[in-house]
Amino acid sequence: MPENHLEKYGHMFNWTFTYRQDSDVPYPYGVITKHGQGQEADTDSAWEPDVRLRALVANKSRLAAVLVSHCNTPSRRESLIRTLQHYVDVDVFGHCSVNVTCGASDGIDRCTTMACRFAQFGACHETLARSHKFYLSFENSLCSDYVTEKFFMALQHDIVPVVYGGADYGQVTGAPPSSYINSRDFDSPKELAKHLQWLDDNPKEYLQHFRWKEAYSVSVSQAVRSEEHTSEL
């Protein structure tokens, strides 16, 4: 919400309890915790993915996917998605989708075109992680500190999130740089698409985006995980 819209609420609230870091009580959509030293702290050290991860990546047949139910957003993420689709394959699921199933080539779980409840949203991420290399964690608004469950849920699975938002992801979430790709680090959607394609063509480089998992864990806030909430994808 633009700040000028908040003026009418001046002096009405004594405390704030939101995702923003400057809230009296910050409550993020998820938490990333570092445990032990791990090899992420030493990016020059040798690292080899385990057999399970190598096999999973070898079986991924699709490049990128996104789950969306808001088709017209303040961030105009839909425009960025359409532009990316000029250069690489992006499968869109949800209300704004022309795709019918997730992982259709594997004959695995069906993702309906209705808005997923949060529990289903997590299941869809798990499904997509088996068939896709990247998940587009594009926010519907470009707001300070605004990083929603779509980022944290992607991190919980073996899929690399590509982010588009108004937050400083490393500072706000504590996510290591190798755990995600920031679309705003590229000069154009075409350059981003070229980088994704390069990673697709170079599996050893793609796999490096998972080495952080040995040193970190990811949790999604309890309120987000509640089945009583409906995802605002």
Side-chain angles (χ1 to χ4, degrees), residues 84 87 186-196:
L84 280 174
Y87 306 109
F186 297 85
D187 293 334
S188 67
K190 182 177 181 180
E191 291 302 310
L192 170 60
K194 286 172 62 177
H195 183 67
L196 299 183

Side-chain angles (χ1 to χ4, degrees), residues 45-67:
S45 63
W47 176 79
E48 289 294 332
D50 60 29
V51 173
R52 181 201 65 83
L53 185 58
R54 289 201 302 269
L56 184 145
V57 169
N59 288 326
K60 289 176 182 277
S61 58
R62 304 293 295 169
L63 186 71
V66 60
L67 284 162

Side-chain angles (χ1 to χ4, degrees), residues 172-183:
V172 170
T173 69
S178 64
S179 64
Y180 64 96
I181 296 169
N182 194 333
S183 63

Side-chain angles (χ1 to χ4, degrees), residues 139-168:
E139 302 296 352
N140 56 32
S141 298
L142 304 179
C143 299
S144 177
D145 300 345
Y146 186 59
V147 182
T148 62
E149 78 290 332
K150 58 179 64 67
F151 174 66
F152 296 100
M153 285 186 172
L155 289 177
Q156 287 183 318
H157 298 93
D158 294 319
I159 191 167
V160 178
V162 180
V163 302
Y164 174 60
D168 180 335

Side-chain angles (χ1 to χ4, degrees), residues 15-225:
W15 292 69
T16 55
F17 182 68
T18 76
Y19 64 84
R20 284 186 57 129
Q21 290 194 313
D22 59 0
S23 296
D24 294 297
V25 183
Y27 193 72
Y29 282 80
V31 176
I32 299 173
T33 305
K34 186 173 183 178
H35 51 84
Q37 293 299 315
Q39 292 187 356
E40 176 64 24
D42 182 8
T43 56
D44 293 328
S45 63
W47 176 79
E48 289 294 332
D50 60 29
V51 173
R52 181 201 65 83
L53 185 58
R54 289 201 302 269
L56 184 145
V57 169
N59 288 326
K60 289 176 182 277
S61 58
R62 304 293 295 169
L63 186 71
V66 60
L67 284 162
V68 289
S69 60
H70 290 173
C71 305
N72 296 287
T73 61
S75 69
R76 299 193 65 192
R77 67 182 177 194
E78 59 279 358
S79 177
L80 177 54
I81 292 170
R82 284 194 297 268
T83 303
L84 280 174
Q85 288 176 315
H86 290 308
Y87 306 109
V88 292
D89 290 333
V90 177
D91 295 326
V92 180
F93 301 96
H95 277 315
C96 317
S97 168
V98 295
N99 299 91
V100 177
T101 61
C102 291
S105 62
D106 303 313
I108 49 183
D109 299 348
R110 193 166 190 262
C111 283
T112 64
T113 56
M114 67 182 65
C116 293
R117 298 180 76 82
F118 277 114
Q120 295 170 330
F121 189 30
C124 273
H125 270 105
E126 184 176 356
T127 297
L128 292 172
R130 294 199 291 268
S131 55
H132 292 72
K133 289 188 174 180
F134 304 99
Y135 182 79
L136 306 186
S137 299
F138 290 1
E139 302 296 352
N140 56 32
S141 298
L142 304 179
C143 299
S144 177
D145 300 345
Y146 186 59
V147 182
T148 62
E149 78 290 332
K150 58 179 64 67
F151 174 66
F152 296 100
M153 285 186 172
L155 289 177
Q156 287 183 318
H157 298 93
D158 294 319
I159 191 167
V160 178
V162 180
V163 302
Y164 174 60
D168 180 335
Y169 282 79
Q171 192 272 327
V172 170
T173 69
S178 64
S179 64
Y180 64 96
I181 296 169
N182 194 333
S183 63
R184 304 185 86 176
D185 288 340
F186 297 85
D187 293 334
S188 67
K190 182 177 181 180
E191 291 302 310
L192 170 60
K194 286 172 62 177
H195 183 67
L196 299 183
Q197 189 62 63
W198 180 80
L199 288 172
D200 186 41
D201 295 336
N202 294 272
K204 287 186 178 180
E205 296 299 327
Y206 173 76
L207 281 164
Q208 291 298 314
H209 283 281
F210 296 102
R211 69 178 294 171
W212 67 273
K213 287 178 176 282
E214 293 187 355
Y216 294 82
S217 59
V218 182
S219 61
V220 177
S221 297
Q222 185 62 41
V224 172
R225 292 164 48 208

